[in-house]
Amino acid sequence: MTKAARLAWLISVVAIAGASGMLAFLLSISTTAQRGFLERHYVWLFWVNVAVATALIIVIGVAGARLALRVKRGRFGSRLLLKLAGIFAFVGVVPGVLIYTVSYQFVNRSIESLFDQRLASALEAGLALGQDTLDNARSELSARTRSAAERWEDSALAPLALERLRDQLSARSVALLGGNGQVLLAAGGDADGIPDRPTSTMLSQARANGVVSRLEGLEDEQQAALGEARIRAIALLPSSALQLTNSDRYLMVVRNISGKVVSNALNVQAANQEYLQRSLLRDGLRRMYLGTLTLVLILAVFAALLLAVALSNQLVQPLLLLAEGMREVATGDLKAKPVFRSRDELGGLTRSFADMTQQLADARAQVDQSVTQLESARTHLQTILDNLTAGVLVFGADQRIESVNPGATRILRLPLSAYVGRGLEELEPLEAFAKSIWQRFELQSPESGEREHWQDSFELQLNDQTTLTLLVRGAALPHDARLVVFDDISEVVSAQRSAAWSEVARRLAHEIKNPLTPIQLSAERLQFKLESKLEGTDQAMLVRSVSTIVNQVQAMKQLVNEFRDYARLPAAKLAPLDVNELVTEVLTLYAEAQEAGRLVADLTLASPLILGDAPQLRQVIHNLVQNALDAVSERPDGRVTVRTQKALSELGELRALRLVITDNGPGFAEKVLNRAFEPYVTTKAKGTGLGLAVVKKIADEHGARIRLINLHPAGDADQAPIGAQVSLSFSKLATAPSLAPDAPRPA
């Protein structure tokens, strides 16, 4: 229950307690003898009841409006709350209305019977009876007093006459009064034996009328009930009875009235007065009692509604907790859920739901941990695949590409990532390759009885100039997926060819070198012995034949020497050397080409020293320069440039020294460019194809990177080349001199 609901509940309870207390107070004072208070203040009491009833009606209306709003908004449990409120209200209202109806009729009839006309007549008759009784007693005493006054004789026996008259009249006291009311002679009286003097008014009335009587002591009801009520009668004595004086004399008789008669008369009088007052306030009393009954009905309805709200909250609260928890679970929120603190089944249900949610949270945590580990492993695997030099292709059951790593794109030189979700055969250069792969997978099917993994090599013709040798491995994955891993082994094959040719060259040099010198010497000896003995054509034929033998032997020796150099290249002895000095030294052998402007040196100043073998690098420079000059030999404007330059990193640090040889010849043929460093690959008519192979071996010995490219106009590779460039990058530096600006050094 929220704070607002608790506050409303507290206000309601206080209102019920206050209204119930007010009702109890009204009922208590209405049944007591102090009815004058209720009757005097019935107006404001009535409006107090109306105010309390109005407050309760407002509270009930607000509660009903809030309940209707909850139902309209579709809040969970509002319909159940409405149903319970209706049931309890029905249970409380129906009996209350029934009781209210009966009480209403009872109050009306009671009030009407209370003010019945017969009761009013009886009260008036009783009041008249009492009044007549007292009047008769007064009249009788007045007559007897007057008769006694007329018979009075003034004599010395007057005191005895007063006593005798007192006994005759059963009076309290009998007195003879003077003209001004003073007591001259008395019989009986108060405690001091002297009766109290009458008023001058009574004396005047007695003088005028001859006799006067009056009821006394009825003003105080308590004294009248104790016997203090009396009748006083005063009669004027006739003048004939006065012998000793001529002033007026009076005879006063005081008789007590019975206390019971006085009490009954007073009660009848009080009842009559009360009846008259209530008859005047009859409508007000009816409204007050009916208002009280209405308040009781409202209290009953209000209590029923509050009870309905309280009980329905007790029932709906755990259901609301469950509903809110289910809603949070549906949105993925598995935090700890509140529990309804009770020992009944609903409380147990909320505890079970909280336990279930906690188990789900633990399971999710484990799943998240597993997913995190899986993602970490996947990221790790993806990182490995992205940095793997081999190409990786994953195919689905429908033979469509599902995953490609950068290595596959780099090796095949095709945008394979753009073909994810498509077949490999849709790439025209790879159509035959795809068919070969699926044929190998069919051979490895379970029906064939062979293994699920296979390995094979393929020659892949990407275009007219590029041919790749691929080592391909295939494997079957779950759900009919296929994995293909391949690597470009063109360089490995080239290395194998180089190793094979090295072995061939070694054996061939060993077998051929030994007989060449005897053959040359024998041919020269034959010429020396026979040239003087022959004449004419025979002598010319001998000279020509011997010359041919010697030339061929020299060619064979050169071939054997190249074989020897390629097969038995000595290990490089690295030492600090200046590449610029080494280039200058080699270029002195090509002075004619320099003088003709066909060979130009562009050497950087303050070049760093590298670690290298001078004889081997001299051979490299000589070979590359000679190849470049041979490439431009047929061009009148042929030009070869030899330059050195520094290779800097992004931070401006010296990274390597680069030797670049550029010519403006026809460039390398495309079919030769990819296999230029393999032995016996050449386009020269008289070349052996071992020059660049030896250069590659020497570069590898020095840890240098060699690169061959064709130069195209405006960088457009689709146009014919306008030259070639060979670059050697030496990363093994002996010193790191200051980075001075590059400037040409004179050769």
Side-chain angles (χ1 to χ4, degrees), residues 664-742:
N664 59 350
F668 296 99
E670 291 294 336
K671 64 179 181 180
V672 175
L673 190 61
N674 295 328
R675 300 177 60 187
F677 298 115
E678 293 184 7
Y680 311 111
V681 176
T682 182
T683 57
K684 296 181 181 180
K686 298 181 180 180
T688 60
L690 294 175
L692 288 180
V694 172
V695 169
K696 181 68 167 58
K697 293 189 68 173
I698 294 174
D700 292 341
E701 288 288 333
H702 286 75
R705 181 173 177 266
I706 185 170
R707 185 184 181 192
L708 281 67
I709 60 172
N710 285 329
L711 302 178
H712 299 272
D716 190 356
D718 295 333
Q719 299 186 22
I722 58 174
Q725 176 178 296
V726 180
S727 62
L728 275 170
S729 297
F730 299 95
S731 57
K732 294 183 178 180
L733 303 179
T735 59
S738 60
L739 301 180
D742 291 345

Side-chain angles (χ1 to χ4, degrees), residues 4-49:
R6 288 195 297 269
L7 182 59
W9 173 261
L10 180 60
I11 293 175
S12 303
V13 171
V14 172
I16 291 176
S20 301
M22 180 65 69
L23 179 60
F25 173 72
L26 293 177
L27 293 177
S28 64
I29 65 176
S30 66
T31 56
T32 60
Q34 298 177 354
R35 297 184 181 181
F37 175 82
L38 177 62
E39 296 168 355
R40 289 192 303 271
H41 302 89
Y42 78 96
V43 176
W44 69 266
L45 290 175
F46 173 78
W47 287 112
V48 168
N49 290 344

